Amino acid sequence: MYDETLRGQKETIVSDDGSLTLYSKEFNESYHSPKDGALRESLNKHVIPAFLLHKGKSSLRILDICYGLGYNTLATLHYIQMHNMDTRVEIISPEFDEALVRSLKDFEYPAEFESLHTIIKDLSNNFVYEDEQFKITILIGDARETIPQLVPDQIDIVYQDAFSPKVNPMLWTREWFADIRALCREDAVLTTYSTAAATRMGLYENGFELHYYDAPDTRRSLIASPKKIESLEWIDMELKKQRNPYAESLRDPQ
Ligand SMILES: C[S@@+](CC[C@H](N)C(=O)[O-])C[C@H]1O[C@@H](n2cnc3c(N)ncnc32)[C@H](O)[C@@H]1O
């Protein structure tokens, strides 16, 4: 359960692939699955499937929900460099923990991020980074306020990687997913580790088609898109609803 009295309190943990992550006492949850491994989770559940599904695109605009330690953003850049891709990428990432972002210039990232040192430092100090290929903006503030202000129909990829629905429900409600859907292009891909019935319902009620995704060495995750993706295992949500008529999306408080 969320505990405001523990605001900002964190502990470092070593995840199973050797990469470091944090445990938030405030949210009573770790920033990454310790079992899946911080870097492995980021690459396997988010970056790799999203980029494979957008293969060949010359530019991509990504929404990284939320920045946290920045693994998803940094793993994206690492993936592009590793594959010598010239794809232009813009990443927009909300985050309300400004002190965390400011501290990241001193965070001990895995060796894979070594070449990203300047980018890590610029983001930590200025919340923006830009060169000929990459533009990254961390939107400091509450995502529920910053996200609806973005231009609609421009996003190709969403990494939906907030703390879990149990401890941070406001980033998993039907209304939140409506805001996210409004930003997505018709072939956008949303990746998330949460396969919970409430997550699926919230996405489905906003016109997303849902698919299971099984990556090596990580637990099953979900890929959503306005369009059905033939190469993935599609989830028949009408059938799911018949079988579990009590499943409901989370809702914003009235
Ligand atoms: C699970 S962590 C994100 C991990 C991140 N994707 C990474 O790779 O390191 C969730 C993040 O969401 C942030 N957060 C929670 N609620 C938020 C909100 N309403 N607006 C903006 N950021 C929020 C937390 O401060 C935390 O850094």
Side-chain angles (χ1 to χ4, degrees):
M1 264 296 124
Y2 178 77
D3 186 344
E4 203 182 345
T5 63
L6 299 174
R7 179 162 281 185
Q9 292 191 31
K10 300 172 183 77
E11 267 170 16
T12 304
I13 48 179
V14 184
S15 69
D16 270 17
D17 65 357
S19 57
L20 299 189
T21 185
L22 294 178
Y23 179 84
S24 164
K25 294 190 181 174
E26 180 182 351
F27 284 95
N28 195 19
E29 205 165 273
S30 54
Y31 281 64
H32 299 90
S33 154
K35 276 218 161 64
D36 287 343
L39 178 59
R40 192 163 54 204
E41 177 173 42
S42 189
L43 282 169
N44 285 3
K45 282 188 196 160
H46 299 286
V47 180
I48 294 174
F51 272 74
L52 288 180
L53 290 166
H54 279 301
K55 212 171 180 163
K57 296 257 174 82
S58 58
S59 70
L60 290 169
R61 195 169 278 130
I62 301 174
L63 206 52
D64 181 6
I65 309 290
C66 292
Y67 193 74
L69 309 180
Y71 267 87
N72 293 340
T73 289
L74 300 171
T76 300
L77 306 185
H78 167 64
Y79 180 88
I80 290 170
Q81 288 180 347
M82 217 170 49
H83 291 87
N84 290 316
M85 293 160 70
D86 55 10
T87 317
R88 289 172 64 90
V89 167
E90 178 174 0
I91 303 179
I92 302 164
S93 185
E95 176 56 60
F96 66 10
D97 190 344
E98 181 177 339
L100 171 66
V101 178
R102 287 197 183 278
S103 75
L104 293 176
K105 49 184 162 292
D106 300 316
F107 189 79
E108 209 177 304
Y109 285 109
E112 284 83 348
F113 293 170
E114 224 159 79
S115 64
L116 305 174
H117 180 70
T118 310
I119 301 179
I120 291 169
K121 212 167 113 201
D122 279 9
L123 287 171
S124 179
N125 286 331
N126 311 319
F127 315 133
V128 290
Y129 173 84
E130 188 165 6
D131 61 24
E132 315 74 53
Q133 191 176 8
F134 304 128
K135 180 174 180 193
I136 305 159
T137 310
I138 302 174
L139 297 174
I140 298 291
D142 188 338
R144 292 301 309 260
E145 286 164 21
T146 55
I147 290 302
Q149 292 174 36
L150 298 176
V151 183
D153 296 325
Q154 300 262 307
I155 297 295
D156 302 291
I157 294 171
V158 182
Y159 302 140
Q160 168 68 24
D161 194 25
F163 285 124
S164 71
K166 221 165 57 192
V167 301
N168 198 10
M170 287 304 284
L171 297 186
W172 299 92
T173 63
R174 181 157 86 176
E175 294 80 4
W176 165 254
F177 286 128
D179 287 346
I180 295 290
R181 175 64 187 91
L183 302 180
C184 287
R185 293 190 208 270
E186 281 312 301
D187 64 348
V189 168
L190 178 147
T191 57
T192 185
Y193 65 88
S194 173
T195 56
T199 301
R200 287 189 271 111
M201 289 298 287
L203 287 163
Y204 185 63
E205 286 164 359
N206 281 292
F208 284 96
E209 298 286 346
L210 304 178
H211 316 79
Y212 287 122
Y213 182 69
D214 293 300
D217 304 321
T218 39
R219 280 170 307 167
R220 172 165 263 207
S221 60
L222 205 65
I223 293 187
S225 174
K227 273 189 2 197
K228 200 166 164 178
I229 303 170
E230 298 300 336
S231 58
L232 297 178
E233 185 187 339
W234 179 68
I235 305 174
D236 186 339
M237 284 300 290
E238 286 306 315
L239 187 64
K240 290 270 185 203
K241 277 165 59 179
Q242 277 172 28
R243 289 187 180 157
N244 183 3
Y246 300 108
E248 276 187 342
S249 52
L250 299 177
R251 309 282 165 88
D252 280 359
Q254 291 305 306

